[in-house]
Amino acid sequence: MQEIAEFFRRAGKTVGFVPTMGFLHEGHVALMLAARDECDVVIASIFVNPTQFLPNEDFEQYPRDFLRDFYICKQAGVDYIFNPSAEEMYGANFKTYVNVDDLSEKLEGKYRPGHFKGVSTVVMKLFNICKPHYSYFGQKDAQQVSVLKKTVKDLNLDTELRICDTIREDNGLAKSSRNTYLSEQQKEDAAVINKSLQSAKEKVLANSFTDAEEVKREMIEMIEIKAGEGSVQYIAVTDNELLNDIEDLKNFKGDVLVSLAVYFGKTRLIDNILFTKK
Ligand code: AMP
């Protein structure tokens, strides 16, 4: 893969890269099409990365279907699929990790300790293997974007990140490979997540909420009617760079990120909304 990437770089071609864990959907395809639009060569990786799953998480269960993914990549105009095995990526004696301090421990990191260390490490490895000029990520995973932007900046990585909007179902549910775990009823009910985010945005922009606690209270109320009491794991109202809590919403100016994790049955869903308060 390195030889192929290097060949194109030397030929003066721009290399675009879309890292994924496979079981592809329209969210992944949007990233591939953005890469196709901007780059001469498009590489997609399909790798369910073991180091970003906690021991009690769904690594084994995570949906996999290479043939299906292969045809989706082909349709989206991907030139190369990088599909390594875990042994190839980590070997028997792997010792080197990348971790973004503080940022990795916030929001998702509180509930998934070690997750972002796995993410930044594998993405660093994938960048070194695929040598992209441009790399494409989804806003769906907002904290992943913040963590990777910081990795790129702090370690002077020679790739530019391109962030694409979250692609949603008609009812507003963010597309996710994990949506395959949901029943039809749960998929319908989970539309409330985006509804609550939209409502939070409208009210924050209209200055109807003075502090973040009010935002959270209303969202929890809306969501838990559908998902059940105690289903919301967290809701955070933060800036979009260092992910620090915004307490005084009324006087805050800048990008506001409202993000959350919620359980529908055993399935953990994450989503977010990003907007600017002037
Ligand atoms: P994953 O395969 O879930 O690790 O996701 C691979 C890439 O696709 C990541 O950059 C995700 O943020 C992005 N992605 C996943 N779901 C969506 C979506 N619904 N809309 C846009 N991007 C997405």
Side-chain angles (χ1 to χ4, degrees), residues 19-21 25 27-28 31 137-138 140-141 144 165-167 175:
T20 83
M21 297 204 298
H25 51 68
H28 300 114
L31 305 183
F137 293 89
K140 158 88 186 346
D141 298 280
Q144 174 168 280
D165 289 343
T166 302
I167 304 296
K175 302 234 182 198

Side-chain angles (χ1 to χ4, degrees), residues 193-211:
I193 299 172
N194 185 47
K195 283 203 188 94
S196 74
L197 288 167
Q198 292 290 347
S199 166
K201 171 183 167 180
E202 275 166 35
K203 290 190 178 161
V204 169
L205 288 178
N207 271 331
S208 337
F209 287 136
T210 43
D211 67 53

Side-chain angles (χ1 to χ4, degrees), residues 18-28 30-31 52 62 136-142 144-145 164-168 174-178:
V18 182
T20 83
M21 297 204 298
F23 214 75
L24 304 173
H25 51 68
E26 286 90 335
H28 300 114
L31 305 183
Q52 71 188 69
Y62 198 85
Y136 298 80
F137 293 89
Q139 179 59 31
K140 158 88 186 346
D141 298 280
Q144 174 168 280
V145 170
C164 301
D165 289 343
T166 302
I167 304 296
R168 299 178 179 281
K175 302 234 182 198
S176 164
S177 309
R178 288 193 170 97

